[in-house]
Each structure stands twice: as C-alpha cells, then as structure tokens.
Amino acid sequence: MVGFGRRDAARAATALAGALALTLTGTGVAHTGSVAAPDRTAPRATPAYWTGTWEASASGTAPPLPGASIRNVIHTSVGGTAVRVRISNRLGSRSLVLGGATVARQQPKAPRSPNALRGTMRTLTFGGRKRITVPAGKDVVSDPVTLTVPAAANLLVTLHTPGDPGPATYHRDARQTNFYARNGNRVAEVSGAAYTATTGSWYYVTGVDVRRPQAAGSVVAFGDSLTDGSGSTPNTNRRWPDRLAERLRALPSHRRQGVLNAGVAGNRLLLEGRGPSALARFDADVLSRTGVRTVIVMEGVNDIKSPPNQTDPAALGAAYREIVRRAHARGIRVVGATLTPFGGHGSHTEARERVRRSVNHLIRTGGLFDAVADFDAVVRDPSRPHRMLPAYDPGDHLHFNDAGMRALADSVDLAALAR
C-alpha cells in the first residue's frame, strides 16, 4: 500500500523548494547578500508554473522486457515550454535500471506510429545522470528539459531497460498502441523502424508535467475502468477525462486546467483488486501530482458488483469521507460522481441495485463533497433506471462507448472545478 509519511513529506518539501527556485530564476531575482537597484529598462520575465498534463496510475505488474527499448505514447491535456517525466518502480520487487530515456513529440496525425517528429528528441536526465537505478517501491522525476509541448498532442517517452528488473510496474489498459524494440538502447532514434513490437500497456511512465505561464493547475479524474476508458475507441483519446480536457481548453488561458486520468480498470474503493485500492493509492495518484486543484471521484461500482461484494453503503460513505479529509488537508476540492447503472451486466442483481441507489443518495444528499457530478442521472434510461441508455452502451451494459464518455464529460460543471 502507498502511504504519505515523513520521507514523502520531505521529498515534497524538496520539490516545492525546487519549484520556487525555478520561479525565482525565471523572474531574474538573485540572492547576493545585497539588494541591487531594480533595472527599470529590462523587460519583466513571465513567471512559470509546473502543471500535470498527463497521468497513468500504476495498476499492477507485467513480465519485464530485458534489453528492450520501450516507446510509450502519451496524450497531453495542456501544453507548455518545458517537460519533466515521472518514472515508477512503485510495484516492482527489484531495482529498475534505466540505461537511457528520452522524450519527443510523435509524428503528427500518426497515433499508431513509433516515429518521432524530427528536431524534438530530448534526452532525459535524473539528477544530471542519463543512467539511473530506481529502487523497488519508488518513483523518480526527471530533470526539466526545454521542449515546446502543444496541448492535445502525443509525446513519445522511451526507456531502455538493459537488464532484467523483475516485475515491471505498468498501466495495463492504455487504450493506446505503444511500441518496443526488442534489443538495444534505441531511445534516441527518431525513426521508429526498430520498434516492430507493440503493446496495449504503458510501462513505467506514470506522469508528465509541463511548464506554463498560467497557474490554473490540474484536475484529477480518480476512478475505475469507467474513467480508465474501457469501452471507448482505442488510439482516439475519447475517454471522458479526454473530453473534459477538450472542454477546459476552450476556456480563457488562465482557466485551462490540465486533466490527469487516475482511472484503473478493476479498481475498488475499499479492497485491493486490480492494483491497490482507491484508499491505498490516493496519496500517490492524487496528492503527489503537480498543481492539483480538484479531484473528481468516481469509485465504488466494483465494490458493489464484484466479490467480496460490499453490501453496506455506510462503508463506502466512510471511505469517501476519508478521501475528502485527505484532499481538504491539501486545499484540494473534491467532486463526487454518482455511480452509473449496470443493469443487464452479468453481475447485476436487485440487491446490488439497492446498494448502488443508496450510495448515490448518500453522494447527492449527504454533504460529503464540495460538489456533485450526477453521472447516473446523465446516462440512465428513464424507463429502466437500473440500465444505461442504449445509445451509450458498447454492449456489456457496464462501460460506455464514445458517446457515453462524451455525455459524462459534458455534464461536469466547469465552475465546480475552480477553487
């Protein structure tokens, strides 16, 4: 389980000091022991702020790819002038050695291509080093590199694992084609010719930040497969958090928040299932992320429908209160999303339907959250409220197709995401 203790707090303080140092450097302030007269002829530098633009939660482990170069394709929500990347060995049991790492923009309009856009390849370093060892159970964040990163663009984050690091921390269901070259350190190759193998998962990469002139911050969508994107079309970025990011990009620049997708297919609120429980991973997947202002919580369906089944709505309510408590301690707003219907799915029963409706009543009226996103009301069939509308059903009566994902995102009150 992931917690936030003294060591993490110290690391957060160090990161904050680094961010402040960047801001001071950007404004041209130097501490020399004396105060110089201001240069009124020099142009004032624009302050810079770090914001999360993309996230993938660690959902489990996969067999490693020793000797391979792994090219992860990730989609930004907001853009910036510099970038830094988070690498995770959080769920690994052995040290992860990285022989090299790069970031580049993907060839435009080619979401299924391993080719980089020429002139955008950047070498990633960690404390100034190209080759690093990430201990088991830990994350590392790269040094910043200057790179113009557009909003709604694909980046290639490529890592070389020269040896066998043991079980690989990954995000299983990326809904995105990723690539790997089976042998050799090929991280700096612009051409993707060597990347002949593909995978539907993201390996080791769990976050990307960008530097921006606005301090709008980011929103975390925290949930299970419904947030992760199951049911949506692969390689098109049509999960509901992607659509939410699209809506936010239409706002004035000072309100364009990044959107981080912390959904994990199969995740549960109370118990470990696919990956750590929501309570166990909340600190790592929300509180440790950059510039978070708001979190939208959509968790609980798997607790109700999957064995061991949760039959007490109060237990889910207590978990929601704990999440809100932790978020409020960091000044983060929490929007609670109602649980959507799954009638027609093989796990649905009348008893479980009663639990779902009771939990939704608690979310709507219990005063648990700063705001409520009533996803249930948006997608349910009025004539059969235990089922979703057929227009939103990909066929399994649980997840959402592209139209359903869009309906969820379009129902979010953007004003509720501001502090």
Side-chain angles (χ1 to χ4, degrees), residues 149-175:
V149 178
N154 282 356
L155 299 180
L156 305 177
V157 178
T158 310
L159 312 172
H160 174 53
T161 52
D164 184 350
T169 297
Y170 81 146
H171 183 91
R172 183 179 67 92
D173 190 11
R175 313 299 293 173

Side-chain angles (χ1 to χ4, degrees), residues 351-369:
R352 293 169 191 167
E353 177 65 16
R354 286 194 294 271
V355 176
R356 185 185 73 87
R357 292 191 185 189
S358 295
V359 171
N360 281 348
H361 180 73
L362 184 62
I363 291 171
R364 292 185 183 108
T365 66
L368 302 179
F369 300 102

Side-chain angles (χ1 to χ4, degrees), residues 36-48:
D39 182 357
R40 301 187 186 281
T41 64
R44 297 186 64 181
T46 302

Side-chain angles (χ1 to χ4, degrees), residues 53-55 73-77 106 109-112 151-155 173-178 202 227-247 249 259 261 400-403 405-406 409:
T53 187
W54 175 86
E55 175 180 357
V73 181
I74 69 100
H75 189 69
T76 64
S77 57
Q106 188 186 42
K109 300 180 181 179
R112 296 180 179 86
N154 282 356
L155 299 180
D173 190 11
R175 313 299 293 173
Q176 170 65 54
T177 301
N178 303 287
W202 287 305
T227 298
D228 205 6
S230 298
S232 65
T233 303
N235 295 302
T236 61
N237 301 300
R238 292 178 182 169
R239 313 164 192 88
W240 72 259
D242 297 314
R243 168 58 182 165
L244 178 61
E246 181 183 348
R247 292 184 63 208
R249 286 193 295 270
V259 177
N261 189 332
F400 297 101
N401 59 20
D402 296 348
M405 292 287 182
R406 188 180 185 91

Side-chain angles (χ1 to χ4, degrees), residues 27 36 90 95 106 119 146 173 196 217 334 343 345 351-352 371 408:
T27 56
R90 192 186 313 157
S95 293
Q106 188 186 42
T146 301
D173 190 11
T196 57
V334 187
H345 189 267
R352 293 169 191 167
L408 293 179

Side-chain angles (χ1 to χ4, degrees), residues 112-411:
R112 296 180 179 86
S113 170
N115 295 321
L117 177 64
R118 192 166 299 278
T120 68
M121 185 68 70
R122 302 288 187 272
T123 297
L124 293 176
T125 59
F126 302 82
R129 293 170 295 160
K130 295 180 182 180
R131 183 184 177 98
I132 62 160
T133 299
V134 186
K138 299 297 182 180
D139 289 0
V140 296
V141 178
S142 75
D143 303 324
V145 293
T146 301
L147 177 65
T148 298
V149 178
N154 282 356
L155 299 180
L156 305 177
V157 178
T158 310
L159 312 172
H160 174 53
T161 52
D164 184 350
T169 297
Y170 81 146
H171 183 91
R172 183 179 67 92
D173 190 11
R175 313 299 293 173
Q176 170 65 54
T177 301
N178 303 287
F179 306 89
Y180 60 97
R182 298 182 187 277
N183 296 295
N185 187 345
R186 300 178 178 275
V187 298
E189 294 183 7
V190 173
S191 169
Y195 290 84
T196 57
T198 62
T199 173
S201 303
W202 287 305
Y203 277 72
Y204 302 116
V205 180
T206 58
V208 176
D209 298 338
V210 291
R211 192 164 59 202
R212 312 173 64 206
Q214 300 87 16
S218 57
V219 177
V220 179
F222 187 68
D224 49 36
S225 59
L226 304 177
T227 298
D228 205 6
S230 298
S232 65
T233 303
N235 295 302
T236 61
N237 301 300
R238 292 178 182 169
R239 313 164 192 88
W240 72 259
D242 297 314
R243 168 58 182 165
L244 178 61
E246 181 183 348
R247 292 184 63 208
L248 287 167
R249 286 193 295 270
L251 297 178
S253 59
H254 69 280
R255 293 185 59 197
R256 293 175 193 162
Q257 295 170 291
V259 177
L260 308 181
N261 189 332
V264 174
N267 198 229
R268 298 175 66 124
L269 183 61
L270 298 172
L271 301 176
E272 183 170 335
R274 184 67 56 78
S277 72
L279 284 175
R281 68 186 182 91
F282 185 77
D283 290 16
D285 290 344
V286 178
L287 300 186
S288 75
R289 302 297 164 154
T290 304
V292 178
R293 302 287 187 268
T294 305
V295 56
I296 303 173
V297 178
M298 187 189 184
E299 284 266 15
V301 164
N302 288 323
D303 296 76
I304 295 170
K305 76 176 189 61
S306 303
N309 307 96
Q310 179 55 244
T311 60
D312 182 8
L316 275 70
Y320 294 142
R321 288 187 180 91
E322 172 62 15
I323 284 174
V324 171
R325 183 193 68 77
R326 289 192 220 169
H328 282 181
R330 300 294 188 86
I332 297 172
R333 287 174 56 81
V334 187
V335 177
T338 52
L339 306 183
T340 51
F342 59 101
H345 189 267
S347 64
H348 186 267
T349 65
E350 290 185 8
R352 293 169 191 167
E353 177 65 16
R354 286 194 294 271
V355 176
R356 185 185 73 87
R357 292 191 185 189
S358 295
V359 171
N360 281 348
H361 180 73
L362 184 62
I363 291 171
R364 292 185 183 108
T365 66
L368 302 179
F369 300 102
D370 299 300
V372 172
D374 200 345
F375 287 172
D376 170 54
V378 171
V379 300
R380 70 186 179 218
D381 186 338
S383 63
R384 299 178 300 171
H386 64 292
R387 302 181 70 129
M388 73 176 74
L389 286 164
Y392 299 152
D393 191 346
D396 67 1
H397 314 302
L398 172 65
H399 300 103
F400 297 101
N401 59 20
D402 296 348
M405 292 287 182
R406 188 180 185 91
L408 293 179
D410 286 351
S411 72

